[in-house]
Amino acid sequence: MPAPRIPALCLGACLLLLLLLPRLARADGAVPIAITCFTRGLDIRKEKADVLCPGGCSLEDFSVFGNIVYASVSSICGAAVHRGVIDTSGGPVRVYSLPGRENYSSVDANGIQSQTLSRWPASFAVTKGKSSAQEATGRAVSTAHPPAGKRLKKTPEKKTGNKDCKADIAFLIDGSFNIGQRRFNLQKNFVGKVALMLGIGTEGPHVGLVQASEHPKIEFYLKNFTSAKDVLFAIKEVGFRGGNSNTGKALKHTAQKFFTADTGVRKGIPKVVVVFIDGWPSDDIEEAGIVAREFGVNVFIVSVAKPIPEELGMVQDVAFVDKAVCRNNGFFSYHMPNWFGTTKYVKPLVQKLCTHEQMMCSKTCYNSVNIAFLIDGSSSVGDSNFRLMLEFVSNIAKTFEISDIGAKIAAVQFTYDQRTEFSFTDYNTKENVLAVLGNIRYMSGGTATGDAISFTVRNVFGPIRESPNKNFLVIVTDGQSYDDVRGPAAAAHDAGITIFSVGVAWAPLDDLKDMASKPKESHAFFTREFTGLEPIVSDVIRGICRDFLESQQ
């Protein structure tokens, strides 16, 4: 890559500046102010300031414009890493305010690709700051020294928050040129008011922020802040990005990347995306809504300034709100006429976000089912084929989110007798369930499938009768039963248990259909060889998800 050209007019001034800055830095003994990864140069209102950058900032979080001299819209810590003043472990930085420039060059340095920018009204430069024993916390702190002879007060413990409003919420804000800088700031003010009223805390709602523009950017995650004060500060620090309002792209990115255990998602807590749309999206939002539902995310659309009749021709799909939300029932959509005087809209939106019983999209076929496997251990199977049956069962089980509050798995092996290998409450992790399934010992004996169904309904499903999960029974057998299967299967259906029957080799098709739930053709499967079980795995999983979704309508 060719070296960037620095305008001749600036060259002498820049070199002189770099020579003088270290001397100026030693002349001031101010205590550094802790800032966040997102603090920009324009947020520092002094000609010269010592700041403390936190460690652990992602290089992707930094927006940097220029080289040596940076546009004030740039991240201070990003500019400091780009300049080589600090690395990603953070540290003290001295910031100098400078006049604006006509252009800012793009240079790749220290893992950061700065961007070009033309004509920005203010700039800054950075040098190595004064060392301090103070640790960067990622939020502003007081620079006042405590009075002599007095101890510093202990930092109060973080508040637990509103325990009646447990939710993991991503605010997806519009950062496109369509909204503009002024309305963007009004939007941030509104989001801040919503965050404040939610009652953020360790045991209450947690929130994060994503900005939709040309390319989506996760501004901060759920785990970053657990108090309203810190969240408000972080929202204030978010800079306007511009570009097209690719809301669909941003929603899809949020559903796939934002809600993970590593970023702070909590088990059993509803996952929510509140999407702010100023006008209309410039891309397809329906597909993104489908992806969000597959990930168990509740999508709320807050629409502001709906398109007027003259603008409808530019909207790809006028029904985009109804197609993007979790349920088209009016609960998941919210409209404000404009960004002015929005205080009165805060409380109604907060009430929606705290109404957990309507967050149905947090429940998916992957985390809200009980699946029992009834496995044929008769003599006709043989040990090697029995292992293939266990592999078939394991491949189905590992698809689901097994936990103490998620999907539950149980297994029963049968011949003339029945043996509960493990029940729904024995193992709460996928690792344990798969390990136990792989170590099941082959029984060998006759085939009494009817008795096995009755045993499983009574002893496996009976104890979890009050479970909110939907119940499924997957029967895998290789031969004809010596007893009646029709009566026990009908009793299981009446008990709310959906049966999938999977037959191999000599299993009669009539028995499979008698056991299967309706429609029979989508709940009964057959293969002549045990190696043919593998393709049936995806059919059973899709069937479980289909039946689960139908039960939620």
Side-chain angles (χ1 to χ4, degrees), residues 274-354:
V274 184
V275 184
F276 292 90
I277 298 179
D278 186 292
W280 61 90
S282 58
D283 61 348
D284 182 16
I285 196 171
E286 181 181 6
E287 180 188 353
I290 294 171
V291 171
R293 288 192 285 278
E294 289 176 352
F295 279 83
V297 177
N298 299 276
V299 177
F300 280 80
I301 300 290
V302 178
S303 57
V304 184
K306 289 182 178 179
I308 60 177
E310 291 79 8
E311 296 172 329
L312 290 176
M314 294 181 283
V315 183
Q316 287 189 22
D317 189 344
V318 293
F320 67 86
V321 172
D322 292 337
K323 293 182 179 180
V325 295
C326 171
R327 290 282 191 277
N328 182 15
N329 57 6
F331 176 74
F332 292 95
S333 56
Y334 196 65
H335 178 67
M336 299 189 299
N338 53 59
W339 289 110
F340 302 96
T342 56
T343 301
K344 62 185 177 183
Y345 297 104
V346 173
K347 187 175 180 180
L349 179 58
V350 168
Q351 289 173 336
K352 282 176 175 279
L353 299 179
C354 293

Side-chain angles (χ1 to χ4, degrees), residues 114 205 252 278 448 492 497:
S114 68
K252 188 174 181 180
D278 186 292
I497 302 168

